[in-house]
Amino acid sequence: MTGYDAEFLGFTVPLPVSPVEVRVLHYTHFSVLLDPRRRLASATACVVDGAALLALRRTGRWRLDGRVPTAEQAGGELYSGNPLDRGHLVRRLDPVWGDAETAARANHDTFTYTNAAPQVNRFNQSKELWNGLEDHVLRYAAAHDHRIAVQTGPVFSADDPLYRGVRIPRLFWKIVAWVGPGDALQATGFVLDQTPQLDDAQLYEITAQALARDDIPPLGPFRTYQVPVADVAALTRLGLGPLPGADVLAEPPRAPSGSRPTDITIHRLPRARAWSEIRTRDQITLPLGGGQGLSCQECFGV
């Protein structure tokens, strides 16, 4: 298996660097950093060649990765008899490119439990937006060989609720990178929040009651934010290589060289940083060239 190609964009965009020990697992066109303590991936990285994508049908059965001890993976027992989705971290469509045999293998690989994360299964517009962000960015990369690199994962917090032996993340992140105007590396970050819109006391009480019944912890409607890539680094404590410096959003204040990223409060993130929710793809900020950006109602003003 070839795994993620750090040189795919013509720039070195390495795998995220975890602050804790992880298993690095390579699949067809993507790689997974599996956190054995959490039994979920802490990060995934995938390369997408939009010019060579194949429209294969959704086929595949979820299975464990035989290279990893079963106790280090969250398998089917986590999702049985409840409304949790097996959320693809690497979207099924993204690595499905190349010749027919390679594309079919990539499609098969995405149905490995190491690429799954528990997500609320109630469909809404924000979830559709989250799942289609790569399509939106790919259209802007079309003039530059249709290539993008996508890194995705959950945000692990010590107070994530413990359900069936797995702590359920309430936040997920995504970074998309591509070659933009002037052959410059560009990137943008997003956070998805499935935290219920409750105050802390209510959330604690309802979570405890649900877990006592062996129900899933309360998960709220998806809310999607475009955020500084540096904020993703601060939330996850992952080393993201050149991606924070390639951010198309306004450059955040730089931390002193060698210092750790500034901590960000996990719950109710818009209070911690000036993040605004995006509700349509037109609200995503992307460059048009000449230093200008694409925005709708000043990007976020709805």
Side-chain angles (χ1 to χ4, degrees):
M1 299 181 185
T2 58
Y4 172 78
D5 180 0
E7 308 297 330
F8 185 74
L9 298 180
F11 295 84
T12 300
V13 182
L15 283 171
V17 177
S18 173
V20 301
E21 186 174 352
V22 295
R23 291 185 179 271
V24 180
L25 303 169
H26 299 302
Y27 301 92
T28 306
H29 298 150
F30 70 96
S31 297
V32 169
L33 277 60
L34 177 68
D35 185 330
R37 295 181 310 105
R38 295 293 300 248
R39 302 175 63 196
L40 299 170
S42 60
T44 65
C46 178
V47 289
V48 185
D49 187 344
L53 286 169
L54 296 184
L56 299 187
R57 292 172 50 210
R58 182 186 176 95
T59 58
R61 295 172 62 93
W62 287 97
R63 65 203 170 278
L64 298 172
D65 189 320
R67 300 171 294 176
V68 179
T70 300
E72 295 182 2
Q73 306 174 67
E77 70 282 354
L78 176 61
Y79 304 92
S80 176
N82 59 43
L84 282 177
D85 264 353
R86 299 165 176 84
H88 278 79
L89 292 173
V90 172
R91 197 176 59 147
R92 183 188 70 86
L93 298 174
D94 285 359
V96 180
W97 54 270
D99 61 71
E101 180 181 354
T102 300
R105 186 169 64 249
N107 181 79
H108 179 268
D109 287 351
T110 64
F111 285 94
T112 311
Y113 274 115
T114 52
N115 184 44
Q119 294 181 341
V120 64
N121 70 355
R122 293 189 298 275
F123 181 85
N124 59 37
Q125 183 181 13
S126 185
K127 184 174 181 181
E128 181 182 37
L129 171 65
W130 175 258
N131 289 337
L133 285 172
E134 293 98 310
D135 287 338
H136 184 70
V137 176
L138 192 60
R139 288 199 293 270
Y140 289 88
H144 301 275
D145 298 327
H146 303 262
R147 290 188 166 207
I148 61 175
V150 184
Q151 300 186 359
T152 307
V155 175
F156 291 148
S157 176
D159 63 355
D160 288 335
L162 183 65
Y163 174 68
R164 296 184 180 178
V166 178
R167 292 198 178 276
I168 306 300
R170 289 192 170 115
L171 300 173
F172 295 86
W173 59 272
K174 186 191 300 285
I175 299 170
V176 186
W178 68 99
V179 177
D183 291 330
L185 178 66
Q186 297 188 314
T188 191
F190 302 90
V191 165
L192 177 146
D193 186 0
Q194 59 177 3
T195 305
Q197 293 178 306
L198 303 169
D199 64 37
D200 289 341
Q202 290 176 307
L203 181 60
Y204 178 84
E205 180 180 0
I206 293 173
T207 297
Q209 291 172 351
L211 296 177
R213 300 190 302 266
D214 191 37
D215 288 343
I216 64 171
L219 299 173
F222 282 103
R223 295 179 298 280
T224 303
Y225 305 90
Q226 186 172 17
V227 307
V229 176
D231 284 9
V232 175
L235 280 171
T236 62
R237 319 303 287 181
L238 293 169
L240 298 176
L243 296 178
D247 197 345
V248 299
L249 293 184
E251 184 176 3
R254 293 187 177 275
S257 177
S259 68
R260 300 181 65 184
T262 302
D263 286 326
I264 296 178
T265 302
I266 295 295
H267 294 299
R268 278 153 296 283
L269 283 167
R271 298 182 188 174
R273 288 287 179 98
W275 294 0
S276 297
E277 185 175 358
I278 54 175
R279 297 182 177 90
T280 70
R281 297 177 189 180
D282 290 341
Q283 293 172 267
I284 298 171
T285 298
L286 291 173
L288 288 174
Q292 296 180 337
L294 172 72
S295 65
C296 175
Q297 298 179 359
E298 297 299 322
C299 174
F300 299 127
V302 293

